[in-house]
Amino acid sequence: VIDGHVKWLFLKQKTSGMPISLVYTGSMILPYQSVSTDSTSVASYPTFAHRFTFNNQIHIARKFGDRFSAQINLGVNHRNYVNYYDKNTLVYAGAGLRFRMTKNLGIIVEYHHVLNRDLTYNQNPLSIGVEILTGGHAFVLSYSNARGVNENLFIPNTTSNWTLGEFRLGFGINRKFK
């Protein structure tokens, strides 16, 4: 998948005067997999434009001291080509929490609820993770019922169900350069 993102910070939280941060993010993906010869497959892509998926979100976030942060977001995900039982445009709301138990160890929880889709085939994404900070690096070990790592993939394509023990183990490393 070729993936592109834009991010625009409207408001930045300050210790006095501005209690929240407000951010817009937009993204687009283009799968480069081979076209399926099965015309009933979502990967049959009748035209090149059918390959694209778009996502737009508004994030409202607040840091409550050194240990706790929270975020809510509202988003729209649009896929140009979907299965017959699915919808092209999905509207969703999400929330994320981060709690640092110590200076270097934290818990992260993220959930997204798709507002306009029947959950017969799909599930709402839920992720729980442990974050370990080591100076310039952040190591994240996560458990999630989603396969994808960005909204264009996990909002429309999460099919695993936590209540049935269907989750995946993920690992990531973030590095902040100055």
Side-chain angles (χ1 to χ4, degrees):
V1 172
I2 298 171
D3 194 357
H5 291 270
V6 295
K7 184 176 181 179
W8 185 9
L9 177 65
F10 285 102
L11 300 172
K12 186 172 183 178
Q13 181 179 342
K14 297 178 181 169
T15 53
S16 64
M18 182 51 59
I20 63 166
S21 291
L22 182 66
V23 175
Y24 161 80
T25 58
S27 62
M28 176 185 74
I29 64 167
L30 173 65
Y32 56 83
Q33 69 191 43
S34 298
V35 174
S36 174
T37 56
D38 178 4
S39 63
T40 63
S41 169
V42 73
S44 65
Y45 306 122
T47 69
F48 182 73
H50 285 113
R51 290 178 173 265
F52 288 96
T53 299
F54 305 92
N55 197 76
N56 293 285
Q57 287 186 87
I58 293 291
H59 306 266
I60 303 165
R62 179 166 169 88
K63 186 174 181 180
F64 299 91
D66 291 334
R67 294 195 180 264
F68 182 70
S69 301
Q71 172 185 292
I72 58 172
N73 59 298
L74 301 171
V76 176
N77 182 272
H78 179 82
R79 296 166 291 158
N80 284 350
Y81 195 64
V82 297
N83 284 320
Y84 70 95
Y85 59 82
D86 211 345
K87 295 183 178 188
N88 292 81
T89 302
L90 301 173
V91 178
Y92 63 94
L97 303 171
R98 178 182 182 217
F99 177 71
R100 280 183 158 173
M101 297 178 296
T102 68
K103 181 180 175 183
N104 298 327
L105 185 64
I107 300 291
I108 302 168
V109 178
E110 186 175 335
Y111 174 75
H112 290 84
H113 185 81
V114 179
L115 302 170
N116 65 329
R117 178 176 59 195
D118 176 24
L119 295 179
T120 304
Y121 299 100
N122 296 85
Q123 297 291 314
N124 290 319
L126 170 65
S127 299
I128 300 169
V130 175
E131 180 182 52
I132 302 166
L133 304 175
T134 61
H137 292 85
F139 297 90
V140 179
L141 182 63
S142 62
Y143 296 90
S144 179
N145 65 333
R147 290 184 186 184
V149 295
N150 70 34
E151 291 83 355
N152 280 319
L153 298 172
F154 70 73
I155 295 296
N157 299 320
T158 298
T159 56
S160 299
N161 188 332
W162 270 93
T163 61
L164 300 176
E166 299 172 342
F167 58 86
R168 290 167 173 76
L169 176 64
F171 178 75
I173 303 172
N174 295 317
R175 170 74 176 144
K176 188 172 186 177
F177 296 97
K178 293 184 180 185

